[in-house]
Every structure is written in structure tokens, then in C-alpha cells.
């Protein structure tokens, strides 16, 4: 396999491969979420048991999908229950690597590349080696990389191990609307920025750009008269939106050509993002240097020079947000 990956397909729109290892880590023989069957769970997914100390969450700070899992693990107080391995911000076409650790080896799993854990589970695994990934420590086998279900299960299946004052990230009385909001956030914003950045033609980019900013205008309006996406408390929906917003001005505005305006020029969204950033569990998981290194160095077909920009000035994240 070539070490340099390409991310655009000439003339075509970007389509994300959503085929992941579907395994679940469950507290019992059946899912703990009473509403799960209504929202697309795979009933045939292999099941692994909840067991403190058995698994390692491998999640790079640079990646927005992995950043979700880092935040949820912290919000729920699972740091002593599920250990955290953190690859560096850059990788080649083969795999994320543990170049931030001494000797370039994960100190718990004893591997240099996350790819090794995938191959331990599925020899010659052909899809992308993605984070976040749950890895069984003893066998060094990846359990699952199905990122939407990883954070879902950290909440529903590991409840016995949550800290006493852990937030209710999936309130049952707002579940139906929350699922609808999360679906739109994912398709139009989380994935929408990639649809712009990895567009293979002017036409596909133009269409992606319009979709993205239509959704951001909807969110700006929604957050004008409420503190969080679902009301007055933080939910999973906020975690999922936040990781994209944190990367918007440093990366997506320029690198992905999402440049109608900056996040900092949308008053409600900018205040909301700062509010979350200053909430314990959120801001400390963000490393702007790693984020910029990841996108500007890894996406060589978009940024062939590999030059990482100095800006923007990120001091504004710590200014008063005036919300709540």
C-alpha cells in the first residue's frame, strides 16, 4: 500500500464510507437503551462484555470523530475504567501511529501502529484504520470502530461506572427530537465540511457549500434563544456539534474552503462554542496545534506543500460567552 493517501475523487462528490466493525460492548445480554431499536441498531452485532480495565480507547485529539469519545469518556468519569491511548496528529495511508509515546509505542498495547490491532482482529483488514477504536488490551484486538455507537454505549452500557453527577447525555423525553437534530448535524455539518473539502469538482463543491451554510444558519437561529441544542442541559448532540465547530476557523474555513464566514462571525454559534469550550470536559480535549498539523500535513492532495498556517488567533475561545 502506498504511504500517501488521496482524499478527493476527480469529478465526484465526497461520500463517507460508514462501514465499521459493528461490535458492541454491552452491560448485559441485551442493550440497556430502551429506545435503541427505533434508531437503527444492528441486532446481529457481536457483543463484548462491559468490564473495567479490559479495554483501551484509542482516540487521536486531532480527529473530530475520536474527539467525541474523548469528551464523553471525560464527562461521564470513565477515565479509571477505560484507559486512553492517543496517537499523534499525522499518519500515512496505512495507519495512525503512537509517535507521541516514548519509542513510538503505545505503553499499554505495545504496538507502534493502530493497524496492528485491526490486523490482530481481521488479518489484512482492507478498510481505513480509523479512530476512535476500542481495543481489548489482553488480545490487542480491535473490538469496534463504529464511532456513533461508541459514545452511545459509553453512556448507556457503562452507567454503573459513571461518576455520580454525570450528565444525562441522552434524555428520554427529548430523544426523538435529539435524534433528528443529530442526524441533520451529522449529514450537513460534521460530514458537510468534508463534503466541501474533498469535493472532486466545482459543481460538487458548490452544492456542498450551500448545504453546509444552510445548516449553519439553521443552527445559528436555533441557538439564539436556547443555551444548548436541546435546551438548558448538555446532551450528546452538543458533543457531536462541538468537535466540528472547534475545527472550523483553524481548518475548515481555509483548508476545506468553507469560507462564507468564520465561526467567530456567527454570534450565537460562536458564543455557544465558547460556552462548551469553557465547560470542564470539552476545552481541555482540544489541541489546536495537533488539529492543524493533522489536516494540513495529511491531506497532501489538498495541501501539497504540507505548510501548516500560523493562524488564526485562538485567544477568543477563552473570552466571556455571555450564555447561561
Amino acid at each position: 500500500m502506498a504511504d500517501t493517501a488521496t482524499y478527493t475523487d476527480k469529478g465526484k462528490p465526497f461520500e463517507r464510507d460508514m462501514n465499521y466493525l459493528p461490535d458492541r460492548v454491552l452491560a448485559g445480554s441485551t442493550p440497556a437503551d430502551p429506545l435503541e431499536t427505533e434508531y437503527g441498531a444492528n441486532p446481529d452485532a457481536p457483543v463484548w462484555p462491559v468490564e473495567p480495565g479490559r479495554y483501551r480507547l484509542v482516540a487521536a485529539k486531532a480527529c473530530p470523530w475520536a474527539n467525541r469519545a474523548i469528551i464523553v469518556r471525560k464527562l461521564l468519569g470513565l477515565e479509571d475504567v477505560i484507559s486512553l491511548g492517543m496517537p499523534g496528529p499525522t499518519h500515512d495511508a496505512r495507519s495512525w501511529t503512537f509517535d507521541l509515546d516514548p519509542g513510538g509505542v503505545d505503553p499499554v498495547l505495545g504496538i507502534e501502529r493502530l493497524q496492528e490491532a485491526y490486523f490482530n482482529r481481521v488479518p489484512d483488514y482492507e478498510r481505513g484504520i480509523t479512530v476512535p477504536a476500542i481495543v481489548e488490551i489482553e488480545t490487542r484486538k480491535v473490538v469496534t470502530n463504529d464511532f456513533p455507537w461508541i459514545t452511545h454505549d459509553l453512556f448507556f452500557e457503562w452507567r454503573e461506572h459513571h461518576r455520580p453527577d454525570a450528565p444525562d447525555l441522552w434524555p428520554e423525553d427529548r430523544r426523538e427530537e435529539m435524534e433528528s437534530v443529530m442526524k441533520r448535524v451529522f449529514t450537513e455539518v460534521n460530514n458537510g465540511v468534508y463534503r466541501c473539502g474533498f469535493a472532486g469538482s466545482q459543481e460538487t463543491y458548490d452544492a456542498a457549500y450551500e448545504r453546509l451554510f444552510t445548516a449553519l444558519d439553521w443552527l445559528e437561529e436555533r441557538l439564539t434563544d436556547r443555551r444548548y441544542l436541546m435546551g438548558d442541559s448538555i446532551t450528546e448532540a452538543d458533543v457531536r456539534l462541538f468537535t466540528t465547530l472547534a475545527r472550523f476557523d483553524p481548518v475548515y474555513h481555509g483548508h476545506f474552503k468553507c469560507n462564507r464566514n468564520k465561526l467567530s462571525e456567527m454570534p450565537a454559534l460562536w458564543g455557544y462554542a465558547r460556552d462548551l469550550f469553557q465547560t470542564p470536559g470539552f476545552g481541555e480535549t482540544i489541541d489546536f496545534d495537533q488539529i492543524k498539523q493533522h489536516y494540513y500535513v495529511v491531506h497532501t492532495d489538498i495541501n501539497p506543500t504540507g505548510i501548516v498556517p500560523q493562524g488564526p488567533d485562538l485567544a477568543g475561545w477563552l473570552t466571556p460567552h455571555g450564555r447561561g
Side-chain angles (χ1 to χ4, degrees):
M1 180 186 290
D3 276 354
T4 301
T6 57
Y7 295 88
T8 58
D9 194 350
K10 188 172 178 59
K12 296 182 180 180
F14 169 68
E15 294 185 9
R16 182 171 298 281
D17 181 359
M18 291 294 290
N19 291 296
Y20 298 100
L21 294 167
D23 301 43
R24 304 279 299 282
V25 179
L26 302 184
S29 58
T30 58
D33 177 4
L35 302 177
E36 180 174 307
T37 56
E38 298 180 31
Y39 298 108
N42 179 358
D44 300 318
V47 172
W48 301 63
V50 164
E51 185 179 318
R54 180 169 178 172
Y55 307 102
R56 188 159 176 80
L57 171 65
V58 178
K61 278 188 172 183
C63 171
W65 320 105
N67 197 175
R68 295 179 178 186
I70 296 172
I71 292 170
V72 169
R73 171 180 174 270
K74 197 167 189 67
L75 290 176
L76 300 178
L78 294 172
E79 295 98 323
D80 295 331
V81 178
I82 305 171
S83 68
L84 178 64
M86 305 186 76
T90 61
H91 61 79
D92 56 28
R94 289 183 291 163
S95 178
W96 294 85
T97 56
F98 295 98
D99 49 293
L100 298 180
D101 292 308
V105 175
D106 180 271
V108 173
L109 298 174
I111 58 178
E112 296 180 355
R113 290 180 173 271
L114 180 57
Q115 185 184 55
E116 295 176 50
Y118 279 76
F119 285 174
N120 288 339
R121 172 72 187 283
V122 182
D124 300 321
Y125 183 79
E126 295 181 346
R127 295 187 179 279
I129 307 299
T130 63
V131 289
I134 299 288
V135 179
E136 185 180 41
I137 293 171
E138 182 177 358
T139 63
R140 299 189 301 176
K141 291 181 178 180
V142 66
V143 172
T144 182
N145 62 338
D146 198 344
F147 68 89
W149 287 101
I150 287 175
T151 52
H152 171 280
D153 290 347
L154 289 179
F155 178 76
F156 283 102
E157 304 299 334
W158 292 81
R159 272 182 163 172
E160 182 181 344
H161 307 285
H162 291 181
R163 60 182 173 85
D165 59 343
D168 182 2
L169 297 179
W170 294 77
E172 188 171 345
D173 62 343
R174 285 172 277 175
R175 183 68 177 276
E176 183 176 359
E177 183 187 9
M178 191 175 91
E179 292 281 354
S180 176
V181 168
M182 290 194 302
K183 181 177 181 180
R184 188 170 182 184
V185 166
F186 171 71
T187 58
E188 305 303 300
V189 181
N190 299 147
N191 203 39
V193 292
Y194 286 88
R195 200 180 292 113
C196 290
F198 294 160
S201 70
Q202 186 69 51
E203 291 74 21
T204 58
Y205 164 74
D206 290 346
Y209 179 97
E210 291 300 324
R211 285 179 62 178
L212 171 64
F213 281 98
T214 295
L216 288 175
D217 287 340
W218 163 69
L219 288 166
E220 176 74 6
E221 181 178 356
R222 183 179 181 91
L223 289 164
T224 297
D225 59 0
R226 66 181 77 196
R227 185 172 184 181
Y228 305 113
L229 281 175
M230 303 311 302
D232 59 1
S233 61
I234 291 170
T235 66
E236 171 90 7
D238 298 297
V239 176
R240 295 185 178 196
L241 176 57
F242 172 76
T243 59
T244 296
L245 297 183
R247 288 158 177 77
F248 199 89
D249 287 2
V251 174
Y252 302 144
H253 180 271
H255 183 58
F256 277 180
K257 307 177 183 69
C258 303
N259 61 354
R260 189 194 74 179
N261 54 258
K262 296 178 180 178
L263 171 67
S264 58
E265 295 166 345
M266 303 186 79
L269 271 169
W270 178 224
Y272 163 82
R274 294 185 345 262
D275 187 0
L276 290 175
F277 185 86
Q278 295 169 32
T279 298
F282 285 85
E284 63 263 41
T285 74
I286 300 297
D287 187 316
F288 289 115
D289 287 336
Q290 287 196 34
I291 287 168
K292 290 194 294 183
Q293 288 169 25
H294 170 66
Y295 286 91
Y296 284 100
V297 173
V298 171
H299 301 156
T300 55
D301 52 341
I302 298 175
N303 185 42
T305 66
I307 293 172
V308 179
Q310 290 281 349
D313 182 358
L314 300 167
W317 282 94
L318 296 175
T319 60
H321 52 75
R323 300 173 68 86

